[in-house]
Amino acid sequence: MEMCETLGFFHLKNVPGFDEDILKQDLREFHDLPDIVKHRLSQKTYNAENSNRYRGYVPFIDNDPSHKEMFDMGCDTATMSEEESRYPLTEATPFPAEPEYAQIEQNFRHHYEFRLRLSLKLLEYIALGLSKERHFFQAWFDESSLSTFRSIRYLPRSQSTVRSDSLQAAEYRLTTPEHTDSGFLTLLTTFGYPGL
């Protein structure tokens, strides 16, 4: 609990069933899709023809200091009640419709479920640390969760087609500007890169 109360971060090691290499391969498979395929999955902000506003693909953006593309997925909407499905944050996650990309959706759903189960296990320990019943948080996240599995890809600006002409020299480094995550708990895979 000390790390939660002070630093706000802790490092998990030797998580049973977690394979960083497989995760990296699966994420790369998505991000290496043709741009036209990813564009069809874009949030409405980036593709006016789409209805998804919260889930889906976010492309590299001109002059964005973060210089990243992302894909956000949520839980399977089939698990939601009719009432829950009316809320805007519960929209379905768009995936490529082409049969040759079907494995991408299966892989992402696997990673989503794995991280959700791991988060629930961590929340058990946090609940105990707060002198609560072990499963205190479970009802908040177990079914019809608003949890997000986000894949982020950073590329060197030299490998990207977006403009960076309005950035200052200091903004050319690959970074995420200071921010606060809006979720309850964030699991971050660093793939061996330092920086937190």
Side-chain angles (χ1 to χ4, degrees):
M1 281 308 296
E2 179 183 347
M3 297 309 288
C4 291
E5 294 171 349
T6 56
L7 187 60
F9 287 90
F10 48 90
H11 188 119
L12 299 178
K13 293 165 60 170
N14 303 318
V15 176
F18 177 70
D19 187 320
E20 189 173 83
D21 293 331
I22 289 174
L23 175 62
K24 190 173 189 177
Q25 175 186 324
D26 292 344
L27 299 180
R28 182 170 282 143
E29 186 178 357
F30 172 81
H31 288 285
D32 286 346
L33 286 171
D35 287 341
I36 187 108
V37 174
K38 291 186 287 189
H39 181 68
R40 288 195 297 264
L41 311 175
S42 292
Q43 295 172 353
K44 187 172 184 66
T45 302
Y46 308 103
N47 182 346
E49 296 176 11
N50 289 349
S51 61
N52 52 302
R53 296 179 182 275
Y54 183 61
R55 304 295 184 193
Y57 177 68
V58 176
F60 289 102
I61 301 168
D62 286 341
N63 292 302
D64 178 12
S66 291
H67 194 67
K68 61 188 175 191
E69 68 174 355
M70 302 185 302
F71 182 75
D72 281 358
M73 76 164 287
C75 74
D76 184 353
T77 54
T79 66
M80 296 179 184
S81 70
E82 186 178 327
E83 179 184 350
E84 290 169 325
S85 65
R86 293 185 193 134
Y87 299 115
L89 299 182
T90 60
E91 68 187 17
T93 302
F95 281 96
E98 296 85 352
E100 63 267 30
Y101 303 133
Q103 191 63 45
I104 290 174
E105 180 174 357
Q106 293 174 22
N107 294 342
F108 271 58
R109 293 212 180 278
H110 165 78
H111 294 300
Y112 175 93
E113 290 299 327
F114 180 86
R115 286 174 177 262
L116 182 60
R117 286 190 309 275
L118 178 58
S119 297
L120 290 171
K121 181 54 75 176
L122 288 172
L123 289 176
E124 288 181 20
Y125 296 122
I126 292 171
L128 292 172
L130 294 170
S131 301
K132 302 286 187 188
E133 189 273 323
R134 176 181 213 97
H135 300 288
F136 179 80
F137 294 111
Q138 187 153 357
W140 298 12
F141 302 103
D142 196 18
E143 292 184 27
S144 304
S145 172
L146 290 178
S147 295
T148 297
F149 175 63
R150 174 176 286 165
S151 172
I152 303 175
R153 179 187 199 183
Y154 297 88
L155 276 180
R157 291 184 190 279
S158 61
Q159 294 180 22
S160 174
T161 59
V162 299
R163 291 180 19 246
S164 298
D165 56 326
S166 296
L167 297 175
Q168 303 296 320
E171 295 175 307
Y172 271 76
R173 67 188 187 282
L174 293 181
T175 185
T176 293
E178 187 174 314
H179 67 284
T180 301
D181 286 0
S182 60
F184 192 83
L185 179 68
T186 298
L187 297 180
L188 177 67
T189 303
T190 63
F191 299 110
Y193 294 102
L196 281 181

